[in-house]
Amino acid sequence: MMHDIIVAILVLSGGIFCFAAGMGVLRLPDLLTRMHASTKAGTLGSGLILVAVAVQFAEGTVIARAVAAILFLLMTAPVAAHLIGRAAFRTGVPMVDRTVCEDGVADALRARPGERAPD
């Protein structure tokens, strides 16, 4: 009984985070904030659902696969989001007017690898 309640809480909370990620992608104003919402909430929601699967089945192979999938998500999602955001910034994808960059950051990010930003 308690086992089923824990699994239900994990699945529901994971679903809520995945729903929040989807809403963030739909509602947020620019690529950088959409990417942030989808990466953070989507990874957490998927991780919680995978934990629920591991708890429900409680077999060694299922737990190992769930842990491997969670680690894969945690290692790849932030890196992919960072690279997508950097590529978008470099190619000039428009940002919201409220977005502010520190002095020199925009020039440094737009510089090609190996080049120095203008002084």
Side-chain angles (χ1 to χ4, degrees), residues 38-90:
S38 66
T39 305
K40 303 298 184 221
T43 301
L44 182 59
S46 300
L48 288 171
I49 292 171
L50 285 167
V51 169
V53 168
V55 170
Q56 175 66 31
F57 293 106
E59 295 176 9
T61 57
V62 174
I63 293 171
R65 288 179 184 175
V67 168
I70 291 169
L71 290 176
F72 182 77
L73 281 171
L74 290 175
M75 288 189 297
T76 58
V79 173
H82 174 79
L83 292 175
I84 291 169
R86 186 172 179 168
F89 188 83
R90 281 184 159 193

